Amino acid sequence: MLQIRIHGRGGQGVVTAAELLSVAAFEQGRHAQAFPSFGSERTGAPVVAFCRIDDREIRLREPILAPDVLIVQDPTLLHQVDVFQGLKPDGYVLINSRRSFDQLGLGEVARQFRHERLTTVPATEIALKHLGRPLPNAVLLGGFAALSGLVSLDAVAHAIRGRFSSKLADGNIAAATEAFEFVRQEMEELAEMKEAAHAQAD
Amino acid sequence: MLKQIEGSQAVAQTVALSRPEVICAYPISPQTHIVEGLGELVKSGALAPCEFINVESEFAAMSVAIGSSAAGARTYTATASQGLLFMAEAVYNASGLGLPIVMTVANRAIGAPINIWNDHSDSMSQRDCGWIQLFAAHNQEAADLHIQAFKLAEELSMPVMVCMDGFILTHAVERVDIPAQTEVDAFLPPYEPRQVLDVNEPVSIGAMVGPEAFMEVRYLAHAKQLMALERIPQIAAEFAERFGRTTGGLVRGYRCQDADTIVVALGSVIGTLKDTVDELRDDGLRIGVLGIHSFRPFPLAAVRAALEHAKRVVVLEKSFSVGLGGVVSTDVRLALSGLGLQGYPVVAGLGGRAITKASLARMLREAVADQLQPLTFLDLDWRIVNRQLEREAATRRSGPIAENLLRDVGTVASKVS
Amino acid sequence: MHQSVKFYQTGTFTVGNRLLAPEQRSVQASTERSNSLNSGHRACQGCGEALGARYAVDAAMRATGNQLIAANATGCLEVFSTPYPETSWQLPWIHSLFGNAAAVGTGIAAALKVKAIKAGQEHSPVRVIAQGGDGGTTDIGFGCLSGMFERNDDVLYLCYDNEAYMNTGVQRSSATPPAARTATTMAVGAHPGAEFGQGKNLPLIAMAHEIPYVATATVADLRDLEAKVEKAMSIHGARYLHILVPCPLGWGAASHDTIRLARLARETGIFPVFEAEHGEVTAVTKIRHHVPVEEYLRPQKRFAHLFGTPGHPEMLAKIQADADRNIRRFKLLDEAPQEA
């Protein structure tokens, strides 16, 4: 079972992101469960949403305490909420930011995990470009598809198409695709650097 | 058709497929998405002919439902928590008059203190009124139970409430098979009332009944619930045959056959318990889960049959009778009269406190070692309870309890779990 | 030389009926009347509510060709009309709770609407009335009533106002007039009887909802009551009829004074009789023979403490002032109020 936890603020579409992810998994023939953290939400307050994906019926109903994947839609949360709580050692982290992990002050934290599974993507900027609005939620899912390969970009696009009106869907899919490319390229560069480092070490 | 859909929407769609003629509801968290979904279906014409009435209170909702059902229309409403209490007089009236209204209760805690999250206190507060109470463990079951509920209600001429955990089920998006209209039509015939306000055959409904006949009228409500004990499993079987899946029924056991310890529960926590029990079984513990799906009528015989071979029974419930202890536990205990079983009531999840696999596992290991208290409150923070008791002992003007406790608990918004 | 002569209802209206065109005759004069509230009910001698309900419901039955369903609140009418195991009602009738008659009416109307659509009709031929006393209407039933008005549900609501919770032993309701003695506003102390509050004018509140038809009536003008019911049934949407029904027991009046007291309530200006549509007054029954409030109050023991020595002349004066205000407000007299 894959457990994904998404952090953001009220009004950023965190709950929608979790739902879209669950629909994408469904499109790929898998079982998925998405639900919000049910806090007293208001615009701007920290919000958490969860998504579980599995190949069999999902019976568990507790909040996700030990996520395999962490998606952070709003970097201003990083020093207010302990988003990394419970993250598995080989977990994936995707943060919406122009800056790197080090630049975000997360260098120490990042070293506890597998660095090729951590990345940032400027999802808000990409969203502004394609949607004209700073809504990074669907965009980040494109980035996640590239980071983990656990859900396909196609399925994400399908889920977006099913949820939004055609114009909004087009914009979101374009943005998600750009985020996918961005992260894929980063992963490639990272792999090349690693290979180069190994080659040097030998 | 398989859909990845929010629980509330699944319920709205299956209620619509059941062809209700009058829907009247008042919004209350966490039921709102259900009535919004139905409102949209009526307004768009997808569900027609149907009157959707925006009433001014829950009391009005149940009252409008009473008038509508008495006039021969298939009628539906939904509520939760405070709303259920506000309509309580009418809830009793509906079952007292034998009107086959179907109502969703999106289980939520009752205040004070005000709390919008899930527990079973609302449904439990109405367990004696004569309504049949069915509980869903997951959203497929929540959807299916509404179809079964209309059939059961109209056959017996008794109202039925379908209980589903607020937020945990209503707001969870998961896979649900929404049946086809033709299939539902074949399963659920049009409503043929037993009593109806008809100008061609006038009757008076709702007269006063004195000591000379009141006991008999009340007994007849009980007799109908005893009939329901027979019909509920039959309807579930008929449903399974037509739709190809098992939902509803009185009780369903999981790994109970050779269990020494059986955990009894209602609602969505059954799923978490199954995962927990699988892990404990891997550790060699002989544990099973018994899900109760019909709470009223309470299936005494079925519960007894499922539990009697075990050594101990843990009743894990999201309900609590202040001054006594468990609610479900008390009913289960009745089913086990005379047997020498160890029984452990465990109250958990009140007001939406998360019930985790880890806590359940820890508690069940204590149960197996017979180290559990006679009454357990799972994950209760004794520290803040005791702080408050000390506060009250120290000064008369100790202030509102809730505010004191929340100050001790600290900020919640930045917590992850 | 022709002179038109107006016939009033005084005493028996047999005279009036014979000289009227058939369609103007009282429903009760016809052997075809439905007797919806049949004899054998257990109302008190002189009960205004039994009289009013019989006239009102039969008039509604005639207006609808006997296609009528009634929802009834808990109260005197419900209790005396359905003494277990009997019922006086000859139409489909449901009693649910004290405060929900209007909502039950809404539900019945909704069901009938759907059934009509299924039968290919635009409207259901069957109509709905909801009825209750002042307690069930102005107090505990207020929320449901307002909701029914606001949604313009197709229900005629009939309020039988005897100005207190009579069935439970004469306790004060928001319709109890100032100074009246009730079991919870006893005639003792410095301010005996019910307080002089703001009052709660249900007909005006109904008008504030701008519903298609609002009217008041009394059991002193039974033809007027029938006519208003029939008028109401010719309209679709939310309608409200507020009927003053004296209660001999609760008011401490003689059982033969019921109709006379209702007339005096009108003639003093204490109970304005009028009609309104969509929030505007359309017709008013003028006072024929204006009398001071004392004439109305004296025959009722519930006001006995106002009289005698020293009595409460200041309360009497206030009641008179309120009546005069009604007269001015509703133009119940063509000239200024006279002293008797």
Side-chain angles (χ1 to χ4, degrees):
Chain A
M1 188 194 307
L2 191 69
Q3 303 198 99
I4 301 137
R5 196 165 71 205
I6 307 178
H7 291 263
R9 293 188 182 277
Q12 290 176 343
V14 173
V15 178
T16 304
E19 287 177 15
L20 286 172
L21 204 46
S22 80
V23 171
F26 172 78
E27 302 277 346
Q28 292 185 240
R30 311 186 71 193
H31 290 257
Q33 177 197 86
F35 59 102
S37 66
F38 317 123
S40 280
E41 285 148 18
R42 59 178 165 78
T43 310
V47 160
V48 191
F50 309 102
C51 181
R52 291 188 165 101
I53 300 175
D54 205 348
D55 290 310
R56 33 180 288 209
E57 184 201 349
I58 299 169
R59 304 177 303 194
L60 190 61
R61 298 275 173 188
E62 63 182 23
I64 294 177
L65 306 164
D68 301 295
V69 178
L70 213 57
I71 298 177
V72 182
Q73 290 194 183
D74 188 331
T76 66
L77 285 170
L78 290 169
H79 302 287
Q80 178 186 353
V81 178
D82 182 12
V83 299
F84 291 94
Q85 190 183 97
L87 179 64
K88 296 247 180 68
D90 55 355
Y92 294 88
V93 182
L94 181 65
I95 300 181
N96 172 23
S97 177
R98 274 182 315 233
R99 304 194 267 166
S100 70
F101 267 74
D102 279 312
Q103 290 169 327
L104 286 168
L106 294 173
E108 269 305 309
V109 174
R111 270 177 269 288
Q112 299 168 39
F113 303 98
R114 291 172 57 171
H115 74 281
E116 75 276 16
R117 292 192 171 189
L118 314 178
T119 194
T120 62
V121 61
T124 302
E125 283 76 5
I126 295 174
L128 277 164
K129 182 166 142 200
H130 292 275
L131 294 166
R133 288 157 77 202
L135 282 173
N137 58 345
V139 181
L140 283 166
L141 298 182
F144 171 63
L147 176 63
S148 67
L150 295 167
V151 78
S152 74
L153 179 63
D154 228 21
V156 170
H158 232 256
I160 292 171
R161 179 76 55 204
R163 177 59 179 255
F164 298 106
S165 71
S166 68
K167 194 159 162 259
L168 217 54
D170 288 341
N172 270 304
I173 291 172
T177 307
E178 183 173 325
F180 179 90
E181 286 305 322
F182 182 96
V183 173
R184 197 184 54 79
Q185 187 149 27
E186 259 197 27
M187 297 288 103
E188 260 177 30
E189 282 169 16
L190 209 66
E192 278 165 24
M193 270 168 54
K194 204 171 164 186
E195 242 186 68
H198 274 158
Q200 277 193 354
D202 285 342
Chain B
M1 179 166 106
L2 279 178
K3 296 188 186 182
Q4 182 75 8
I5 190 178
E6 191 193 55
S8 303
Q9 293 302 323
V11 169
Q13 289 182 22
T14 36
V15 168
L17 288 167
S18 307
R19 301 194 189 272
E21 295 170 286
V22 175
I23 298 172
C24 44
Y26 187 78
I28 181 169
S29 297
Q31 145 270 45
T32 48
H33 292 184
I34 300 175
V35 298
E36 287 163 12
L38 282 164
E40 192 169 354
L41 288 169
V42 172
K43 208 139 176 79
S44 71
L47 170 55
C50 178
E51 281 293 290
F52 181 87
I53 304 174
N54 282 304
V55 287
E56 69 282 359
S57 77
E58 287 91 351
F59 175 68
M62 186 50 66
S63 300
V64 170
I66 285 167
S68 165
S69 188
R74 178 170 288 162
T75 309
Y76 169 82
T77 185
T79 192
S81 176
Q82 315 298 134
L84 184 61
L85 288 189
F86 195 65
M87 57 160 73
E89 200 194 359
V91 170
Y92 269 78
N93 194 253
S95 47
L97 294 177
L99 295 169
I101 299 162
V102 170
M103 169 166 69
T104 311
V105 177
N107 292 120
R108 167 185 149 179
I110 292 174
I114 183 168
N115 174 298
I116 61 169
W117 294 274
N118 163 255
D119 71 30
H120 293 160
S121 51
D122 50 6
S123 298
M124 292 303 161
S125 78
Q126 301 305 303
R127 66 192 188 277
D128 299 330
C129 68
W131 279 64
I132 291 168
Q133 297 184 314
L134 307 175
F135 278 78
H138 44 73
N139 282 328
Q140 181 68 67
E141 185 158 48
D144 293 348
L145 279 178
H146 285 84
I147 303 170
Q148 296 182 30
F150 279 108
K151 193 175 175 88
L152 181 67
E154 289 171 11
E155 271 184 26
L156 294 176
S157 239
M158 280 306 263
V160 177
M161 66 175 82
V162 178
C163 306
M164 63 189 294
D165 287 326
F167 287 129
I168 298 176
L169 291 183
T170 56
H171 287 57
V173 173
E174 58 196 55
R175 170 190 292 213
V176 178
D177 190 351
I178 305 290
Q181 182 68 76
T182 45
E183 293 295 305
V184 178
D185 287 343
F187 183 80
L188 188 61
Y191 172 37
E192 274 300 319
R194 231 181 226 298
Q195 60 179 336
V196 66
L197 296 167
D198 179 354
V199 296
N200 298 312
E201 285 182 49
V203 287
S204 295
I205 299 176
M208 178 180 284
V209 173
E212 42 304 295
F214 187 85
M215 279 191 75
E216 285 70 24
V217 174
R218 287 312 275 153
Y219 180 79
L220 283 163
H222 180 67
K224 286 201 191 162
Q225 289 227 8
L226 295 178
M227 285 186 235
L229 279 174
E230 304 275 309
R231 269 316 267 153
I232 288 168
Q234 286 168 356
I235 288 175
E238 289 161 27
F239 189 91
E241 207 188 298
R242 177 169 292 280
F243 296 93
R245 57 181 172 265
T246 304
T247 47
L250 297 174
V251 301
R252 293 200 304 273
Y254 179 75
R255 305 186 84 165
C256 285
Q257 285 90 341
D258 64 336
D260 289 332
T261 308
I262 301 181
V263 193
V264 182
L266 284 75
S268 63
V269 77
I270 290 171
T272 308
L273 277 168
K274 286 181 179 175
D275 275 12
T276 311
V277 154
D278 279 352
E279 284 177 16
L280 292 172
R281 278 266 179 185
D282 287 343
D283 265 358
L285 299 177
R286 303 230 294 253
I287 301 197
V289 183
L290 183 71
I292 296 184
H293 295 279
S294 165
F295 186 69
R296 283 294 182 271
F298 190 81
L300 290 166
V303 167
R304 189 185 181 91
L307 299 178
E308 63 190 340
H309 63 276
K311 288 207 190 78
R312 65 186 70 75
V313 169
V314 175
V315 177
L316 178 77
E317 58 177 298
K318 290 179 175 176
S319 38
F320 176 39
S321 181
V322 178
L324 176 62
V327 169
V328 179
S329 316
T330 310
D331 289 3
V332 170
R333 191 161 287 169
L334 189 65
L336 303 175
S337 297
L339 300 172
L341 287 158
Q342 269 300 103
Y344 296 108
V346 176
V347 175
L350 297 182
R353 176 159 297 174
I355 301 177
T356 63
K357 224 172 29 169
S359 292
L360 287 173
R362 192 172 46 241
M363 178 273 292
L364 287 171
R365 285 182 196 280
E366 286 177 44
V368 165
D370 284 307
Q371 282 171 352
L372 270 188
Q373 297 293 312
L375 175 64
T376 304
F377 290 86
L378 193 70
D379 293 340
L380 191 84
D381 187 340
W382 290 103
R383 189 183 47 95
I384 63 176
V385 164
N386 290 324
R387 286 265 294 266
Q388 176 61 21
L389 291 171
E390 283 159 22
R391 208 176 269 128
E392 290 186 11
T395 166
R396 177 77 199 157
R397 185 69 73 88
S398 52
I401 294 178
E403 278 64 17
N404 290 340
L405 260 45
L406 288 171
R407 230 177 275 124
D408 282 346
V409 164
T411 48
V412 170
S414 47
K415 287 202 178 153
V416 172
S417 61
Chain C
M1 181 86 163
H2 291 275
Q3 185 184 36
S4 67
V5 180
K6 248 185 156 181
F7 285 98
Y8 296 129
Q9 288 172 207
T10 46
T12 173
F13 48 65
T14 320
V15 168
N17 254 350
R18 256 194 238 136
L19 297 175
L20 291 171
E23 61 277 6
Q24 288 180 303
R25 289 179 200 166
S26 166
V27 175
Q28 292 301 308
S30 165
T31 49
E32 304 296 302
R33 68 177 185 265
S34 50
N35 270 335
S36 313
L37 177 63
N38 209 359
S39 56
H41 60 72
R42 310 298 204 260
C44 300
Q45 185 178 44
C47 172
E49 188 161 354
L51 181 62
R54 177 159 63 89
Y55 271 73
V57 182
D58 274 356
M61 286 286 269
R62 182 169 83 170
T64 59
N66 293 356
Q67 308 269 291
L68 189 72
I69 298 178
N72 213 130
T74 311
C76 269
L77 180 61
E78 168 260 325
V79 169
F80 72 63
S81 66
T82 54
Y84 180 83
E86 303 160 30
T87 177
S88 316
W89 297 101
Q90 307 224 69
L91 81 169
W93 178 94
I94 180 166
H95 161 241
S96 172
L97 296 167
F98 196 7
N100 73 357
V104 176
T106 293
I108 297 169
L112 291 171
K113 192 168 171 190
V114 175
K115 299 295 187 193
I117 293 172
K118 285 186 167 173
Q121 303 162 321
E122 206 197 309
H123 285 300
S124 176
V126 181
R127 308 294 301 285
V128 184
I129 58 171
Q131 49 187 10
D134 49 287
T137 306
T138 71
D139 289 342
I140 196 171
F142 193 61
C144 288
L145 186 66
S146 174
M148 185 270 272
F149 287 165
E150 184 273 321
R151 289 185 302 267
N152 201 27
D153 294 329
D154 192 10
V155 175
L156 166 61
Y157 193 98
L158 299 157
C159 173
Y160 303 104
D161 184 3
N162 53 25
E163 303 185 335
Y165 290 95
M166 294 308 188
N167 191 237
T168 43
V170 195
Q171 293 87 17
R172 180 257 184 210
S173 81
S174 61
T176 300
R181 176 201 72 198
T182 68
T184 47
T185 57
M186 298 288 271
V188 293
H191 306 284
E195 57 291 330
F196 279 79
Q198 295 305 111
K200 199 178 204 186
N201 192 317
L202 247 294
L204 287 180
I205 291 170
M207 284 167 62
H209 285 73
E210 313 256 333
I211 57 176
Y213 184 72
V214 174
T216 66
T218 79
V219 291
D221 289 301
L222 293 164
R223 281 295 296 122
D224 177 65
L225 170 59
E226 287 181 332
K228 282 168 176 168
V229 170
E230 288 179 71
K231 168 98 180 265
M233 293 315 293
S234 73
I235 299 168
H236 282 268
R239 294 144 287 140
Y240 181 73
L241 191 42
H242 193 105
I243 309 161
L244 184 68
V245 295
C247 167
L249 196 73
W251 293 20
S255 58
H256 57 250
D257 268 349
T258 296
I259 293 179
R260 187 169 79 90
L261 286 172
R263 185 175 311 117
L264 286 168
R266 184 194 71 217
E267 298 292 86
T268 51
I270 280 180
F271 189 84
V273 177
F274 64 92
E275 289 173 283
E277 292 180 40
H278 299 287
E280 297 188 26
V281 175
T282 52
V284 157
T285 299
K286 300 279 190 188
I287 291 171
R288 289 203 291 269
H289 176 56
H290 184 213
V291 291
V293 296
E294 194 175 316
E295 221 173 287
Y296 166 70
L297 300 169
R298 266 197 191 273
Q300 303 173 54
K301 293 213 191 71
R302 64 176 175 156
F303 292 112
H305 51 281
L306 297 179
F307 305 105
T309 15
H312 282 274
E314 80 290 355
M315 288 166 100
L316 212 49
K318 267 205 218 169
I319 296 172
Q320 183 65 61
D322 284 346
D324 291 341
R325 184 164 167 263
N326 281 345
I327 291 172
R328 274 195 308 277
R329 202 173 179 185
F330 287 90
K331 302 191 184 53
L332 299 176
L333 282 172
D334 288 320
E335 63 283 351
Q338 322 159 334
E339 289 292 299

